[in-house]
Amino acid sequence: MALILNIETATTNCSVSLSKKGETFALKEDYNNGYSHAERLHVFIDTLLKENNIEPSQLDAIAISKGPGSYTGLRIGVSAAKGLCFALNKPLIAVSTLEALAHQVKAKNGIIVPMLDARRMEAYTAVFDADYKPIQDIEAKIIETTSFSTYLESGTVYFIGNAVEKTKTVVTHENAVFIEDKLPSASSMSLLAYNKYKISDVEDVAYFEPYYLKDFVAIKPKSK
């Protein structure tokens, strides 16, 4: 049956879903409470399972959004997923945060650029075609007026994610389509996780770490 619990904590959206054979049938998430994952994630998981009359032992796998994204958010999500895998003796599946975000765009043609906010004018990005095949690997990219110009000159480019707001201030090409107010969601992890489950593409629970892309940098508090 492939009953999978999907966990997404790479941004401010604390998101949990349940899926069967790649189809999401239950979702609990909260866009609007900042980085409150430490307080909300386990409550969301417990509530979602109880609302759907599912015992944790019935799960076939746990899927985690592996990043890139918020350092703290990713740590919390991965720690929760690994704890469940150890406790239940279930496999851990890692899903690319940007790839799952790209799957929120439904287009017959064109290019999809999922993008997550980093510091200043930087964003974590990747590039996919309309069939979600990767064209450009994940990178931390400085957004400039010429960013993605090659793709924009060739046709429609869909930008999605929480870096869209700052991107649209500098990328003004007529072929750019900005999909606003969208964050990574556990609902779009389901098919990707199921495809990995079918071929036993799972992680070593003991050694798995989130994909931060960049090292964590602590910011010193300002002197009062």
Side-chain angles (χ1 to χ4, degrees), residues 26-196:
L27 174 68
K28 192 167 185 63
E29 61 185 3
D30 189 350
Y31 270 56
N32 302 313
N33 277 282
Y35 289 102
S36 59
H37 307 326
E39 295 81 18
R40 306 175 78 84
L41 180 58
H42 287 284
V43 175
F44 280 13
I45 293 171
D46 185 58
T47 300
L48 199 64
L49 292 172
K50 287 180 178 177
E51 287 179 347
N52 290 276
N53 298 312
I54 293 172
E55 294 294 328
S57 59
Q58 292 178 273
L59 296 170
D60 292 299
I62 313 296
I64 183 67
S65 177
K66 69 178 181 179
S70 157
Y71 181 91
T72 302
L74 290 170
R75 293 294 296 180
I76 292 169
V78 168
S79 294
K82 291 173 74 169
L84 287 169
C85 290
F86 274 122
L88 302 171
N89 193 28
K90 304 294 182 180
L92 176 66
I93 299 170
V95 173
S96 165
T97 304
L98 289 174
E99 185 177 2
L101 180 58
H103 276 251
Q104 293 189 36
V105 180
K106 309 300 180 185
K108 294 182 179 180
N109 49 54
I111 299 296
I112 302 169
V113 180
M115 50 187 358
L116 295 178
D117 193 23
R119 291 185 290 274
R120 301 182 180 88
M121 286 305 293
E122 193 171 19
Y124 302 129
T125 71
V127 181
F128 298 85
D129 67 15
D131 295 319
Y132 311 114
K133 294 178 181 177
I135 296 175
Q136 186 172 306
D137 291 338
I138 296 171
E139 64 175 332
K141 186 179 183 69
I142 301 296
I143 305 301
E144 302 171 320
T145 56
T146 57
S147 296
F148 309 103
S149 58
T150 300
Y151 303 113
L152 287 163
E153 290 298 332
S154 301
T156 304
V157 178
Y158 300 90
F159 296 93
I160 184 171
N162 62 0
V164 161
E165 185 174 353
K166 65 184 180 185
T167 300
K168 70 179 183 178
T169 65
V170 293
V171 176
T172 58
H173 197 284
E174 61 182 4
N175 287 333
V177 176
F178 298 104
I179 302 172
E180 300 183 66
D181 302 320
K182 293 292 185 180
L183 291 175
S185 171
S187 63
S188 56
M189 294 173 59
S190 300
L191 181 60
L192 295 171
Y194 178 58
N195 287 339
K196 286 195 167 192

Side-chain angles (χ1 to χ4, degrees), residues 78 81-83 85-86 90-92 202-209:
V78 168
K82 291 173 74 169
C85 290
F86 274 122
K90 304 294 182 180
L92 176 66
V202 300
E203 305 296 329
D204 186 317
V205 178
Y207 294 101
F208 177 75
E209 292 290 334

